[in-house]
């Protein structure tokens, strides 16, 4: 069975690489020809642990990059749609890429003998498949859904820095659509691919909502512990680490996503929370809790800036080092990264910024150019600095020691992740720990 993957970004390339490495015959397509060329030559367009090796193995086993969607529509029984749904200014999602792909597939279905299952993995708000995508396919193809082809919603739950592991071993498979022979075929595919993993079959609008619910709940957990972190910071001696570790032992709560910090970022949580807020308002439901989740997340950056001002007295003219640019460790993704927002605010306040990150410097240069300085080591980044700010929890930052502090102009560290030994000879401002009087 041939499998097509249209859209070779984070989700699509991870999926195609894992399937190809497992000996499935995968045909990939992306409208970005430069990206496609790099992938053909074994170079992933972004950093993700294990991706490069998995992708290269898949290419050796027959994973091909196609220049035309028609080859996929004519030859593949499963066609995964994994193109992006970017966020608009009002928080809603932009469906233009998904609709474009669906229109192309619809036109090609009209003349093909193939009867594929079109699998929507792109993140779309509830009702999109039924109300938007299916009408396009019906009109363009002049064929019958459920007879000549079918569309099944299949949201993904990948974590950046863990995408390959999550693709190989997902916690669950969600399939949304009509229970017919096409659904049964996709269910069998996943049963063979992921033995023992729960498969939830529901309608498409529920499947679409599951994705947003999942990410909104994770964002809620993060904002909850960050709210507690702010309370701890105002109580002398209180420590959010101890609070989080203890409540995480309660099986009703669990320990995951209880790492207090400067707020959530990345390509999923901020976008999905905004999208479900926008969607809720449109259907007449007041998303009170989700509004609060977003407000707490926004405040975390404000709290970080206030802590920096408290540590320095004033920001203008000060040399400040930002440690960590990616929104999380083990990725080069700076989308909605707190570090990028922080640097913008510090520049507006007149600070001189030096930045370091093991993977995300190139992406950051595309944003700031020569407005800030960049360093290829933590040591050189801190040289002459009047304040170091740990934003992204890369392991190497936990190894800061007297040698690093010695070359700073002022030994001031603002630590949003509480990574350092507080007994080091420095003025230490850990977010989420109340100062001991």
């Amino acid at each position: 069975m041939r499998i097509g993957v249209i859209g070779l970004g984070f989700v699509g390339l991870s999926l195609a690489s894992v399937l190809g490495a497992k000996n499935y015959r995968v045909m990939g397509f992306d409208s970005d020809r430069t990206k496609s060329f790099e992938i053909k030559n074994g170079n992933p367009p972004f950093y993700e642990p294990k991706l490069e090796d998995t992708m290269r193995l898949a290419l050796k086993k027959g994973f091909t990059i196609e220049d035309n969607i028609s080859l996929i529509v004519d030859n593949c029984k499963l066609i995964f749609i994994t193109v992006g749904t970017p966020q608009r200014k009002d928080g809603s999602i932009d469906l233009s890429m998904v609709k474009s792909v669906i229109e192309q597939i619809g036109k090609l279905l009209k003349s093909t003998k193939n009867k594929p299952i079109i699998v929507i993995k792109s993140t779309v708000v509830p009702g999109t498949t039924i109300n938007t995508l299916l009408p396009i396919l019906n009109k363009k193809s002049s064929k019958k859904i459920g007879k000549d082809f079918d569309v099944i919603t299949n949201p993904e739950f990948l974590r950046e820095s863990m995408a390959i592991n999550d693709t190989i071993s997902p916690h669950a498979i969600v399939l949304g659509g009509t229970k017919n022979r096409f659904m049964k075929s996709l269910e069998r595919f996943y049963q063979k691919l992921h033995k023992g993993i729960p498969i939830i079959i529901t309608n498409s609008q529920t499947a679409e909502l599951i994705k947003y619910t999942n990410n909104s709940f994770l964002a809620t957990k993060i904002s909850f512990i960050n709210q507690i972190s702010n309370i701890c910071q105002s109580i002398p001696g209180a420590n959010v680490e101890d609070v989080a570790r203890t409540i995480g032992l309660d099986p009703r709560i669990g320990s995951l996503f209880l790492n207090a910090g400067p707020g959530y970022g990345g390509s999923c949580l901020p976008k999905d929370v905004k999208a479900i807020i926008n969607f809720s308002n449109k259907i007449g439901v007041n998303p009170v809790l989700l509004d609060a989740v977003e407000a707490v997340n926004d405040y975390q950056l404000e709290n970080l800036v206030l802590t920096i001002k408290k540590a320095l007295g004033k920001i203008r003219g000060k040399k400040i080092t930002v440690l960590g640019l990616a929104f999380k460790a083990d990725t080069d993704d700076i989308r909605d990264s707190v570090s990028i927002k922080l640097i913008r605010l510090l520049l507006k306040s007149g600070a001189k910024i030096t930045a370091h990150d093991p993977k995300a410097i190139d992406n950051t240069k595309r944003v700031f150019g020569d407005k800030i300085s960049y360093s290829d080591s933590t040591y050189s980044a801190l040289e002459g600095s009047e304040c170091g700010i740990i934003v992204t929890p890369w392991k190497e930052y936990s190894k800061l020691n007297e040698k690093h502090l010695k070359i700073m102009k002022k030994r001031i560290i603002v630590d949003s992740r509480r990574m350092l030994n507080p007994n080091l000879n420095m003025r230490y401002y850990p977010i989420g720990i109340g100062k001991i009087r």
Side-chain angles (χ1 to χ4, degrees), residues 423-435:
N423 294 320
L424 286 169
N425 182 20
M426 61 181 170
R427 284 170 55 198
Y428 189 48
Y429 296 84
I431 300 296
I433 298 178
K435 186 176 179 180

Side-chain angles (χ1 to χ4, degrees), residues 9-232:
F10 173 70
V11 175
L13 188 55
S14 299
L15 175 64
S17 298
V18 168
L19 292 177
K22 287 180 173 287
N23 298 309
Y24 287 92
R25 300 168 72 187
V26 182
M27 303 170 74
F29 172 85
D30 196 282
S31 59
D32 186 332
R33 297 303 171 91
T34 302
K35 181 195 292 185
S36 297
F37 178 80
E38 289 298 322
I39 293 170
K40 276 185 183 180
N41 287 281
N43 303 312
F46 53 88
Y47 175 74
E48 176 66 30
K50 300 183 181 180
L51 175 61
E52 186 171 339
D53 290 343
T54 307
M55 187 185 78
R56 289 182 176 180
L57 177 59
L59 289 167
K60 285 181 181 178
K61 291 188 173 187
F63 168 34
T64 60
I65 310 301
E66 308 300 334
D67 295 326
N68 200 318
I69 289 180
S70 63
L71 292 171
I72 292 175
V73 176
D74 284 339
N75 294 285
C76 296
K77 290 299 179 185
L78 294 180
I79 302 174
F80 289 94
I81 309 300
T82 56
V83 297
T85 52
Q87 181 182 302
R88 294 194 183 102
K89 288 183 179 180
D90 65 356
S92 64
I93 60 171
D94 182 352
L95 289 173
S96 59
M97 284 189 278
V98 177
K99 288 164 73 174
S100 175
V101 168
I102 290 296
E103 285 178 0
Q104 291 177 67
I105 291 174
K107 291 175 184 177
L108 293 166
L109 282 173
K110 194 170 188 176
S111 57
T112 187
K113 293 180 180 179
N114 189 28
K115 297 183 177 183
I117 303 171
I118 300 163
V119 186
I120 308 297
K121 291 192 82 68
S122 300
T123 302
V124 294
V125 295
T128 299
T129 300
I130 286 182
N131 299 323
T132 302
L133 305 185
L134 288 182
I136 293 173
L137 284 168
N138 284 330
K139 181 180 179 181
K140 297 293 182 181
S141 71
S142 300
K143 290 188 174 180
K144 284 192 174 184
I145 184 168
K147 179 183 177 183
D148 301 310
F149 69 95
D150 206 352
V151 179
I152 296 174
T153 307
N154 176 212
E156 53 80 24
F157 303 96
L158 304 187
R159 296 167 291 174
E160 288 196 51
S161 79
M162 295 292 288
I164 298 302
N165 289 345
D166 288 347
T167 302
I168 294 170
S169 302
H171 69 274
I173 304 295
V174 178
L175 305 178
T178 303
K179 293 182 181 179
N180 55 21
R181 64 185 178 89
F182 291 100
M183 179 69 79
K184 195 64 183 175
S185 177
L186 185 57
E187 183 183 17
R188 283 196 299 267
F189 166 78
Y190 274 125
Q191 285 172 337
K192 182 180 178 182
L193 180 64
H194 302 302
K195 290 182 174 63
I197 301 298
I199 298 177
I200 293 88
I201 298 176
T202 182
N203 55 51
S204 63
Q205 57 268 43
T206 302
E208 290 159 343
L209 182 57
I210 286 170
K211 166 68 175 181
Y212 282 100
T213 303
N214 191 92
N215 278 354
S216 295
F217 184 77
L218 297 178
T220 300
K221 265 189 110 170
I222 294 169
S223 280
F224 173 81
I225 199 62
N226 281 338
Q227 180 73 83
I228 301 302
S229 171
N230 295 336
I231 295 172
C232 287

Side-chain angles (χ1 to χ4, degrees), residues 395-437:
K395 284 184 180 179
E396 65 182 84
Y397 298 151
S398 67
K399 298 175 183 176
L400 262 64
N401 54 37
E402 182 63 26
K403 181 182 76 171
H404 297 88
L405 296 170
K406 195 185 220 179
I407 60 169
M408 296 180 71
K409 185 175 180 180
K410 292 182 180 178
R411 298 182 176 215
I412 299 173
I413 299 290
V414 176
D415 186 356
S416 73
R417 305 289 184 171
R418 301 163 303 283
M419 299 182 76
L420 301 186
N421 181 347
N423 294 320
L424 286 169
N425 182 20
M426 61 181 170
R427 284 170 55 198
Y428 189 48
Y429 296 84
I431 300 296
I433 298 178
K435 186 176 179 180
I436 299 174
R437 289 173 180 166

